[in-house]
Amino acid sequence: MDIQERIKQLMDTKGWSEYKLAKEANLPQSTISHLFKRNNAPTYPTIEAICRAFGITMAQFFADEGEAVMLTPDQKELLLLWGTLTQEQRQIVISTMKHFNNND
């Protein structure tokens, strides 16, 4: 999968438009638009900004499916807390996260 496809995959997962990604990554919308329309390769700082917007590390961005990746400190904390929840509490957290994601 190339970089543009990976970005598009992440956008689809979040339900984000090019405009939303540009806003969340604090990048000009033209930068995001050119990635897809002109098939421009993004610069390293652009990929970093996109990863921050999605809340993932560069390693996670470039990892193949099934490949081990490094977690951010926030992700590690969430997983540790997740392990302490009951099944009912986990369902509440999932529902809440889906609600937040749909309200973007």
Side-chain angles (χ1 to χ4, degrees), residues 3-62:
I3 292 173
Q4 288 88 344
E5 288 174 353
R6 178 68 171 133
I7 293 169
K8 186 69 176 146
Q9 176 190 50
L10 292 166
M11 288 170 58
D12 290 345
T13 299
K14 289 261 194 189
W16 286 3
S17 64
E18 290 179 12
Y19 173 79
K20 177 70 172 175
L21 175 57
K23 182 179 171 188
E24 293 296 322
N26 199 27
L27 293 168
Q29 185 175 0
S30 60
T31 298
I32 302 300
S33 179
H34 291 163
L35 289 175
F36 301 111
K37 290 183 179 149
R38 295 185 184 168
N39 203 28
N40 288 355
T43 63
Y44 183 83
T46 297
I47 295 172
E48 279 185 313
I50 289 170
C51 287
R52 275 193 306 276
F54 286 123
I56 63 174
T57 64
M58 294 281 280
Q60 290 170 314
F61 181 86
F62 287 107

